[in-house]
Amino acid sequence: MADEMILTRPDDWHLHLRDGAMLAVTVPCSARSFGRAIIMPNLNPPITTVQQALAYRARILRHVPAQSAFEPLMTLYLTEATSGREIERAGAASAIAAVKLYPANATTHSEAGVSDWRRCDEALACMQEQGLPLLIHGEAITPGIDIFDREAVFLERELEPLIQRFPQLKVVLEHVTTAAAVEFVRQAPPRLAATITAHHLLLNRNDLLLGGLRPHHYCLPILKRERDRQALLAAASSGSPKYFLGTDSAPHARSSKESACGCAGIYTAPAALELYAEAFEQAGSLNRLEGFASHFGADFYALPRNTTAVRLRRESWSLPASYRYGRGAIVPLRAASPLQWRLIT
Ligand code: NCD
Ligand code: ZN
């Protein structure tokens, strides 16, 4: 088995950087590995206009290390009030790459999200015309649906009708977590793709609940069964261009995670590529990592592939127990425990 790999520099097609003091930690951590990243707009208040997205981008760029060419690709947060004109402005702004749909109250800072999709028809039609991809948090939020079934129900009730009503719209089903979602994406036309996180490739719901409650393994969509994890591993390492890397790295203050009502989100960015390498090695498909991490996302977004490279070496090393920012700390996945691969910078 190879002990060193050189890959085209990867991109992260789903990333939460947050704002303010956290940016001093999150931006350099992602810039270390990734050439570009799709930046999620679920700030509080959300990024709903092009003007807000460009101002947020400028705040991010201040924290990009001098020797890095890290490029944040901005997104707008779709609400029922998003106008066709705002989407046209987004389509014309090269710094804006996509629009994000959160079902209302599905996850962190999704209160301003969408309850009734038909109220978004004008915006969606405009996105279809502009070729702006719609990024979807795919969970049904009707009260009473079991949290472990939310993704599967969403596919049938919401996603299937949507892709039929907008036959040219490019859609990314974000952070797929189930065998059902893998199958849905496989059967869908090529204009529908999916991102897969490192944590959903490496962990199942036992890692959340067995032997004690692990708040740092709590995220949405929630971790699923082992057979779902196996289906995700098979999809990610299949060589199909419909699946590509999106960490959904989602930092929260340690105090908000280790709490009686803990926040959803796992901070994977500091060792993201290394975690994916572990997962692909588990699947016996390290040779398929580059397509998933560095080619298929750029191809889907019709952007050029990166021209620089990164080197991964088999090496045991550890992340710190936490990262300090302002007055808080963020605990990364695998804090202070050994990783098997290391990105050499
Ligand atoms: C994300 C966050 O914290 O912003 N949390 C998560 O568990 N993934 C929101 C999201 O992407 O669902
Ligand atoms: Zn997310």
Side-chain angles (χ1 to χ4, degrees):
M1 189 73 64
D3 285 336
E4 215 168 274
M5 278 188 295
I6 294 178
L7 308 180
T8 303
R9 185 176 287 279
D11 301 304
D12 184 349
W13 301 98
H14 183 133
L15 176 63
H16 300 267
L17 290 175
R18 313 303 190 199
D19 208 349
M22 253 195 207
L23 292 177
V25 170
T26 57
V27 176
C29 270
S30 285
R32 167 182 167 267
S33 318
F34 296 104
R36 293 164 289 199
I38 288 274
I39 310 304
M40 288 295 129
N42 64 330
L43 303 185
N44 196 10
I47 301 292
T48 54
T49 66
V50 171
Q51 202 181 5
Q52 289 170 332
L54 297 181
Y56 181 31
R57 179 171 179 271
R59 296 197 293 281
I60 293 168
L61 286 176
R62 270 182 233 138
H63 295 275
V64 175
Q67 68 286 10
S68 162
F70 180 73
E71 193 186 341
L73 304 171
M74 308 310 291
T75 59
L76 290 194
Y77 184 120
L78 186 69
T79 74
E80 294 177 1
T82 304
S83 67
R85 281 205 49 207
E86 198 60 42
I87 298 295
E88 274 168 23
R89 277 193 280 271
S94 59
I96 314 261
V99 177
K100 177 71 190 248
L101 187 152
Y102 292 98
N105 303 314
T107 186
T108 310
H109 298 156
S110 60
E111 301 79 5
V114 175
S115 307
D116 182 350
W117 294 50
R118 280 163 304 184
R119 298 203 192 113
C120 298
D121 276 6
E122 180 190 321
L124 293 170
C126 206
M127 288 171 58
Q128 173 168 261
E129 212 176 285
Q130 306 269 330
L132 259 186
L134 177 68
L135 316 183
I136 302 184
H137 182 108
E139 291 196 284
I141 39 90
T142 313
I145 301 176
D146 190 283
I147 188 168
F148 291 98
D149 296 334
R150 284 173 151 208
E151 187 175 85
V153 173
F154 180 87
L155 302 173
E156 203 181 296
R157 284 197 203 158
E158 317 270 5
L159 189 55
E160 180 69 50
L162 178 91
I163 61 177
Q164 286 184 13
R165 283 198 311 122
F166 295 95
Q168 311 294 331
L169 184 65
K170 278 171 95 166
V171 174
V172 183
L173 182 58
E174 299 284 17
H175 42 55
V176 289
T177 63
T178 55
V182 164
E183 182 53 20
F184 186 96
V185 173
R186 193 186 66 75
Q187 288 190 14
R191 67 188 168 90
L192 185 129
T195 55
I196 306 182
T197 76
H199 48 278
H200 289 103
L201 291 174
L202 289 168
L203 305 174
N204 66 31
R205 63 197 205 179
N206 282 4
D207 296 299
L208 176 64
L209 298 168
L210 200 69
L213 184 64
R214 312 274 175 179
H216 295 290
H217 291 171
Y218 175 57
C219 63
L220 289 170
I222 200 158
L223 296 169
K224 303 297 191 307
R225 290 176 175 277
E226 176 60 12
R227 66 166 180 259
D228 293 303
R229 188 183 79 88
Q230 290 296 338
L232 297 175
L233 266 181
S237 64
S238 66
S240 162
K242 285 179 160 182
Y243 308 96
F244 46 82
L245 186 157
T247 60
D248 194 16
S249 174
H252 288 276
R254 168 179 221 144
S255 54
S256 313
K257 294 286 296 172
E258 298 174 8
S259 149
C261 184
C263 288
I266 301 183
Y267 187 47
T268 50
L273 191 62
E274 291 91 338
L275 292 167
Y276 280 106
E278 269 184 35
F280 274 67
E281 183 157 48
Q282 232 182 62
S285 305
L286 269 175
N287 60 332
R288 297 259 168 88
L289 179 61
E290 186 179 33
F292 175 83
S294 315
H295 296 163
F296 303 151
D299 299 352
F300 183 84
Y301 279 83
L303 292 169
R305 295 177 181 178
N306 291 321
T307 49
T308 58
V310 297
R311 187 185 297 265
L312 270 175
R313 182 181 297 159
R314 190 185 299 283
E315 182 184 318
S316 183
W317 66 293
S318 299
L319 294 173
S322 67
Y323 292 87
R324 301 210 65 81
Y325 71 95
R327 268 177 292 162
I330 312 165
V331 178
L333 185 67
R334 288 288 187 82
S337 55
L339 292 150
Q340 296 160 20
W341 288 90
R342 184 169 203 171
L343 188 118
I344 308 300
T345 46

